[in-house]
Amino acid sequence: MAEVKRENFGHMPMEDGGGEVEKFVLQSDSVRVEILSLGCIIAALETRDRAKQFADIVLGFDTLEGYTRKHPFFGAVVGRVANRIAKGKFTVDGKEYQLFLNNGPNSLHGGARGFDKVNVGLPGEGERGTTLPNAFSLQVLWSPQILPNGVCFYRLSPDGEEGYPGELKVWVTYTLNGSELAINYRAQTSKKTPISLTNHAYFNLAGQGSPDIYDHEISIEADSYLPVDDTKIPTGEVAAVQGTGFDLRQPVQLGKHLKQFHLDGFDHNFCLPLGRARRLVARAHHPPSGRTMEVHTTQPGLQFYTGNNLDGSLKGKGAATYPKHSAFCLETQNWPDAVNKVSHSGPVASGPVWRAVRNAQGGEMPWGNCSRKAMGTQPSLVPPHPHSPVFIASPQPHFPSPLLLPGEEYNHTTWLCFGTA
């Protein structure tokens, strides 16, 4: 059983809404992780090497100030839709929605103020659904609840936030069991809306602040990937990895592999087998230290990113600088721009989609998805009653749908398993 501690990490500036930012420390014999109530950020993650020495293996900042400035989503949960949406536009039920463009001609990771940032200064609704004309959203930080071996964060994303339709209730739960860190994402909506959630931690198994990841060995269990255009939007083709530099089904040493195939780095979605079951999708190994990390998930895609845009300009933890290729990301998520690449004629979904948990009086329980032991609710991993309607994914030759409908529940989990070899 992991130990869970709660600490103060700082206060947000008043121009960003104020409020106390808390840090939650989960610790087992082999892993120690720090998570913030700002953006559900993984601020530190310490694992042991083969000599049983601990090192922090994620990029980030020592103080809150670093996270309130512009940074490349270090350790944060991003959404409503992770990755890129072409031209920031999509259409649902005949209505076109325009999002903020924050990545050239596209929308990236939820827009200007996605789930990784505070949400103030935005016209919308109050925390309890009350209309606030000419006012602002009141919820500035994720609301945490400590669990026996982790922490569950909750927030309400108002209808229209960053241009997305529907009021969205979101739960992100971190639990630590021995050497395994699980991240569970759940959401319910009042209107049909796209959703794809991930964590954007940057890893370096040699320890954060190490100059590069060229000596890391990487493998990804994917037979296909998505080619992209010059703005990183998928072309629509699902390409086989066989015979290309994207064939990572056997471990490759990253530095040698990039040189062999004349690649500047990776920032691509790898297509995983669809289904609800947990499966191993990627493995990273740092031979000098012996540290290993396995990624297991229920998600349909994995964005492999090698820190191509890091340029050494940010001062990180311990005054470290983070140059190009000094970290990698393995972001489990739906496929980029999927909302514009699939047919939305039917009730399709890309993973476990169950009815909302309800209390005895029939009302929705904001904390109903966190923990049966803590809250006395139905366990979150139990599927709905056999007679309940379930929307099954209709056959799609390529992109899985990211759309969530009212009455459904978005439900995905990713497990990070740490060890040595």
Side-chain angles (χ1 to χ4, degrees):
M1 180 68 69
E3 180 183 9
V4 183
K5 295 181 180 179
R6 186 175 197 164
E7 303 174 2
N8 176 271
F9 190 68
H11 282 80
M12 295 297 297
M14 289 308 299
E15 60 267 26
D16 286 330
E20 178 185 7
V21 176
E22 293 184 286
K23 178 174 71 176
F24 297 84
V25 181
L26 316 183
Q27 185 164 0
S28 68
D29 291 339
S30 55
V31 176
R32 182 180 185 275
V33 57
E34 299 178 1
I35 308 162
L36 307 182
S37 59
L38 170 64
C40 303
I41 289 171
I42 296 178
L45 202 167
E46 298 178 8
T47 68
R48 295 189 296 193
D49 63 13
R50 66 167 62 92
K52 300 189 183 303
Q53 298 299 307
F54 281 88
D56 185 359
I57 61 170
V58 295
L59 276 54
F61 303 101
D62 289 319
T63 65
L64 177 60
E65 184 180 12
Y67 292 106
T68 60
R69 295 176 177 176
K70 184 178 180 180
H71 66 91
F73 306 96
F74 284 153
V77 166
V78 294
R80 285 187 193 189
V81 175
N83 220 305
R84 294 169 178 87
I85 294 178
K87 300 179 181 179
K89 292 182 180 181
F90 62 89
T91 300
V92 174
D93 293 337
K95 181 177 180 179
E96 184 177 88
Y97 293 87
Q98 178 64 61
L99 311 176
F100 186 83
L101 304 182
N102 63 329
N103 185 244
N106 306 314
S107 180
L108 175 68
H109 293 331
R113 302 182 76 84
F115 288 0
D116 58 299
K117 302 176 181 67
V118 296
N119 296 278
V120 294
L122 297 172
E125 297 180 347
E127 290 178 291
R128 303 181 186 277
T130 56
T131 302
L132 298 173
N134 301 318
F136 304 96
S137 174
L138 296 177
Q139 191 172 19
V140 297
L141 298 169
W142 291 75
S143 300
Q145 184 181 30
I146 291 180
L147 305 177
N149 61 337
V151 58
C152 179
F153 296 97
Y154 169 79
R155 79 172 299 266
L156 181 68
S157 175
D159 185 4
E161 183 175 59
E162 287 295 318
Y164 287 95
E167 180 181 86
L168 191 72
K169 298 177 180 179
V170 187
W171 298 263
V172 177
T173 303
Y174 293 88
T175 52
L176 180 62
N177 291 288
S179 60
E180 179 180 276
L181 177 66
I183 312 173
N184 179 254
Y185 309 93
R186 291 183 174 83
Q188 300 164 6
T189 184
S190 63
K191 297 179 183 178
K192 188 187 295 186
T193 189
I195 181 171
S196 176
L197 303 178
T198 193
N199 181 279
H200 209 302
Y202 286 69
F203 296 97
N204 187 319
L205 299 186
Q208 73 86 30
S210 298
D212 60 63
I213 51 173
Y214 298 140
D215 56 357
H216 285 54
E217 296 176 352
I218 300 289
S219 61
I220 297 177
E221 300 288 334
D223 295 329
S224 56
Y225 76 102
L226 300 182
V228 295
D229 65 18
D230 57 2
T231 70
K232 303 298 183 184
I233 293 294
T235 63
E237 176 189 4
V238 179
V241 301
Q242 181 72 35
T244 75
F246 296 87
D247 191 347
L248 304 178
R249 291 174 293 181
Q250 296 297 320
V252 302
Q253 188 180 77
L254 193 55
K256 291 181 179 179
H257 189 81
L258 294 177
K259 288 182 180 179
Q260 177 184 351
F261 288 93
H262 307 287
L263 298 172
D264 187 53
F266 289 93
D267 191 5
H268 296 80
N269 177 81
F270 287 77
C271 307
L272 308 176
L274 300 183
R276 298 185 179 187
R278 169 178 174 166
R279 58 217 184 274
L280 172 66
V281 298
R283 189 175 189 267
H285 176 216
H286 181 244
S289 69
R291 289 191 181 88
T292 63
M293 181 178 77
E294 290 184 349
V295 181
H296 302 242
T297 193
T298 62
Q299 297 265 30
L302 178 73
Q303 187 82 6
F304 179 37
Y305 175 55
T306 50
N308 311 328
N309 296 321
L310 297 175
D311 60 6
S313 62
L314 293 174
K315 293 289 186 180
K317 288 178 282 189
T321 58
Y322 301 137
K324 182 178 180 178
H325 295 165
S326 62
F328 65 92
C329 304
L330 292 167
E331 307 161 58
T332 57
Q333 56 190 253
N334 205 331
W335 300 5
D337 200 36
V339 71
N340 290 314
K341 296 291 195 295
V342 298
S343 168
H344 305 315
S345 58
V348 296
S350 62
V353 177
W354 301 332
R355 294 180 306 162
V357 176
R358 296 181 179 275
N359 61 23
Q361 289 72 41
E364 293 183 8
M365 301 178 66
W367 291 106
N369 291 344
C370 292
S371 167
R372 177 175 62 168
K373 185 174 181 180
M375 301 301 296
T377 62
Q378 179 183 0
S380 58
L381 293 181
V382 174
H385 189 275
H387 299 295
S388 302
V390 178
F391 291 97
I392 304 299
S394 62
Q396 291 287 350
H398 298 306
F399 286 64
S401 173
L403 291 181
L404 180 68
L405 278 64
E408 298 177 348
E409 183 173 274
Y410 176 91
N411 182 342
H412 280 292
T413 304
T414 293
W415 297 264
L416 305 177
C417 305
F418 303 97
T420 56

